[in-house]
Protein backbone atom coordinates (compact mmCIF):
# COMPACT_ATOMS: atom_id res chain seq x y z
CA UNK A 1 0.00 0.00 0.00
CA UNK A 2 2.72 2.49 0.98
CA UNK A 3 4.78 1.59 -2.08
CA UNK A 4 1.73 2.07 -4.32
CA UNK A 5 0.95 5.51 -2.87
CA UNK A 6 4.60 6.52 -3.06
CA UNK A 7 4.76 5.36 -6.67
CA UNK A 8 1.58 7.35 -7.43
CA UNK A 9 3.11 10.49 -5.88
CA UNK A 10 6.19 9.99 -8.07
CA UNK A 11 3.98 9.58 -11.14
CA UNK A 12 2.06 12.77 -10.29
CA UNK A 13 5.36 14.60 -9.92
CA UNK A 14 6.47 13.43 -13.36
CA UNK A 15 3.15 14.37 -14.97
CA UNK A 16 3.03 17.89 -13.51
CA UNK A 17 4.64 19.28 -16.65
CA UNK A 18 1.64 18.15 -18.71
CA UNK A 19 -0.48 20.63 -16.73
CA UNK A 20 2.11 23.45 -16.76
CA UNK A 21 2.27 23.48 -12.95
CA UNK A 22 5.11 25.16 -11.07
CA UNK A 23 6.37 23.13 -8.14
CA UNK A 24 7.61 24.68 -4.90
CA UNK A 25 8.11 23.23 -1.45
CA UNK A 26 7.88 26.53 0.38
CA UNK A 27 6.85 30.04 -0.47
CA UNK A 28 10.45 31.27 -0.17
CA UNK A 29 9.12 34.72 0.65
CA UNK A 30 7.95 35.31 -2.88
CA UNK A 31 4.49 36.71 -3.56
CA UNK A 32 1.87 34.22 -4.60
CA UNK A 33 0.40 34.47 -8.08
CA UNK A 34 -2.78 32.89 -6.75
CA UNK A 35 -5.32 35.28 -5.36
CA UNK A 36 -7.03 32.85 -2.99
CA UNK A 37 -7.53 29.28 -1.99
CA UNK A 38 -11.03 27.91 -2.01
CA UNK A 39 -13.10 25.99 0.48
CA UNK A 40 -15.89 23.54 -0.17
CA UNK A 41 -18.55 25.92 1.19
CA UNK A 42 -20.82 27.64 -1.32
CA UNK A 43 -23.80 29.93 -0.88
CA UNK A 44 -26.29 28.25 -3.21
CA UNK A 45 -28.57 31.30 -3.16
CA UNK A 46 -25.95 33.12 -5.27
CA UNK A 47 -25.73 30.34 -7.89
CA UNK A 48 -27.90 30.50 -11.00
CA UNK A 49 -27.98 28.26 -14.07
CA UNK A 50 -25.64 25.47 -12.95
CA UNK A 51 -28.19 22.71 -12.23
CA UNK A 52 -27.84 21.03 -15.62
CA UNK A 53 -24.02 21.03 -15.53
CA UNK A 54 -24.06 19.80 -11.94
CA UNK A 55 -26.44 16.92 -12.70
CA UNK A 56 -24.46 15.86 -15.81
CA UNK A 57 -21.20 15.74 -13.88
CA UNK A 58 -22.73 13.93 -10.91
CA UNK A 59 -24.21 11.35 -13.28
CA UNK A 60 -20.81 10.95 -14.93
CA UNK A 61 -19.09 10.56 -11.54
CA UNK A 62 -21.51 8.00 -10.18
CA UNK A 63 -21.86 5.97 -13.37
CA UNK A 64 -18.11 5.41 -13.87
CA UNK A 65 -18.19 7.07 -17.30
CA UNK A 66 -15.16 9.23 -16.56
CA UNK A 67 -11.57 8.52 -17.56
CA UNK A 68 -10.00 6.09 -15.12
CA UNK A 69 -6.24 5.94 -14.63
CA UNK A 70 -4.79 3.70 -11.97
CA UNK A 71 -8.20 3.21 -10.34
CA UNK A 72 -8.75 6.97 -10.02
CA UNK A 73 -11.49 8.72 -11.96
CA UNK A 74 -10.66 12.14 -13.31
CA UNK A 75 -13.30 14.60 -14.48
CA UNK A 76 -11.74 17.91 -15.50
CA UNK A 77 -13.71 21.16 -15.23
CA UNK A 78 -11.97 23.48 -17.66
CA UNK A 79 -12.61 27.08 -18.61
CA UNK A 80 -11.57 30.67 -18.34
CA UNK A 81 -11.12 32.32 -14.96
CA UNK A 82 -14.33 33.54 -13.35
CA UNK A 83 -16.89 31.39 -15.20
CA UNK A 84 -17.81 29.31 -12.16
CA UNK A 85 -15.63 26.19 -12.32
CA UNK A 86 -14.94 26.22 -8.58
CA UNK A 87 -18.57 27.01 -7.78
CA UNK A 88 -19.67 24.04 -9.88
CA UNK A 89 -17.17 21.78 -8.09
CA UNK A 90 -18.44 23.09 -4.72
CA UNK A 91 -22.04 22.35 -5.70
CA UNK A 92 -21.09 18.80 -6.66
CA UNK A 93 -18.98 18.26 -3.53
CA UNK A 94 -21.89 19.36 -1.31
CA UNK A 95 -24.62 17.49 -3.19
CA UNK A 96 -26.45 14.96 -0.97
CA UNK A 97 -26.26 12.22 -3.62
CA UNK A 98 -22.48 12.62 -3.77
CA UNK A 99 -22.19 12.74 0.03
CA UNK A 100 -24.20 9.53 0.34
CA UNK A 101 -22.33 7.74 -2.45
CA UNK A 102 -18.77 8.27 -1.22
CA UNK A 103 -17.54 7.03 2.13
CA UNK A 104 -14.77 9.62 2.11
CA UNK A 105 -14.62 13.03 0.41
CA UNK A 106 -11.88 15.63 0.54
CA UNK A 107 -11.61 19.22 -0.69
CA UNK A 108 -8.14 20.52 -1.46
CA UNK A 109 -7.37 23.68 -3.39
CA UNK A 110 -4.73 23.10 -6.07
CA UNK A 111 -3.52 26.40 -7.46
CA UNK A 112 -1.31 27.37 -10.40
CA UNK A 113 1.63 27.62 -8.02
CA UNK A 114 1.65 23.86 -7.40
CA UNK A 115 3.05 23.23 -3.91
CA UNK A 116 3.11 19.52 -3.13
CA UNK A 117 3.94 20.10 0.53
CA UNK A 118 1.05 22.55 1.03
CA UNK A 119 -1.41 20.26 -0.75
CA UNK A 120 -0.31 17.28 1.35
CA UNK A 121 -0.62 19.36 4.56
CA UNK A 122 -4.07 20.62 3.48
CA UNK A 123 -5.23 17.05 2.85
CA UNK A 124 -4.08 15.94 6.29
CA UNK A 125 -5.67 18.97 7.96
CA UNK A 126 -8.96 18.40 6.12
CA UNK A 127 -9.05 14.78 7.22
CA UNK A 128 -7.94 15.25 10.82
CA UNK A 129 -9.65 18.63 11.36
CA UNK A 130 -6.44 19.78 13.07
CA UNK A 131 -3.88 22.42 12.10
CA UNK A 132 -0.28 21.31 11.58
CA UNK A 133 2.90 23.35 11.74
CA UNK A 134 4.29 24.70 8.47
CA UNK A 135 7.69 23.56 9.71
CA UNK A 136 6.97 19.82 9.65
CA UNK A 137 9.31 17.98 7.28
CA UNK A 138 7.74 16.59 4.11
CA UNK A 139 8.65 13.06 5.23
CA UNK A 140 6.48 13.49 8.36
CA UNK A 141 3.60 14.82 6.26
CA UNK A 142 3.85 11.86 3.87
CA UNK A 143 3.92 9.49 6.84
CA UNK A 144 0.80 11.08 8.38
CA UNK A 145 -0.98 10.99 5.02
CA UNK A 146 -0.16 7.31 4.59
CA UNK A 147 -1.40 6.59 8.13
CA UNK A 148 -4.87 8.00 7.55
CA UNK A 149 -5.11 6.80 3.96
CA UNK A 150 -4.30 3.24 5.07
CA UNK A 151 -6.94 3.50 7.79
CA UNK A 152 -9.59 4.48 5.24
CA UNK A 153 -10.76 1.51 3.24
CA UNK A 154 -11.68 3.84 0.42
CA UNK A 155 -11.24 3.43 -3.35
CA UNK A 156 -9.59 6.86 -3.53
CA UNK A 157 -6.59 5.44 -1.65
CA UNK A 158 -6.12 2.17 -3.52
Amino acid sequence: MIKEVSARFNQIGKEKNNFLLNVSTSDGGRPSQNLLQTTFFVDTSDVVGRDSDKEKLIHQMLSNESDVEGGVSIIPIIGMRGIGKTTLAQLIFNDETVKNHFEFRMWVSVTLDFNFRRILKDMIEFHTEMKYSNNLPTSILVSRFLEFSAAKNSPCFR
Side-chain angles (χ1 to χ4, degrees), residues 38-127:
T38 62
T39 67
F40 60 91
F41 298 110
V42 64
D43 181 359
T44 57
S45 66
D46 291 339
V47 180
V48 178
R50 287 308 219 168
D51 291 336
S52 175
D53 293 332
K54 179 182 108 172
E55 295 307 319
K56 285 178 188 173
L57 287 173
I58 289 173
H59 173 74
Q60 188 177 3
M61 269 176 47
L62 303 184
S63 65
N64 297 322
E65 293 177 7
S66 56
D67 292 334
V68 176
E69 182 178 319
V72 177
S73 296
I74 300 170
I75 302 174
I77 302 174
I78 302 169
M80 294 175 55
R81 183 180 191 158
I83 64 168
K85 299 177 300 293
T86 300
T87 300
L88 179 59
Q90 290 165 324
L91 291 170
I92 293 167
F93 186 86
N94 291 304
D95 184 84
E96 286 302 317
T97 306
V98 172
K99 286 180 182 180
N100 293 330
H101 182 79
F102 293 100
E103 174 185 346
F104 184 74
R105 300 172 312 122
M106 183 180 296
W107 182 275
V108 179
S109 180
V110 179
T111 58
L112 288 176
D113 186 20
F114 185 83
N115 184 322
F116 171 73
R117 198 176 171 322
R118 182 197 55 80
I119 293 168
L120 190 59
K121 182 176 166 282
D122 287 353
M123 291 170 74
I124 294 166
E125 289 178 349
F126 188 93
H127 172 73

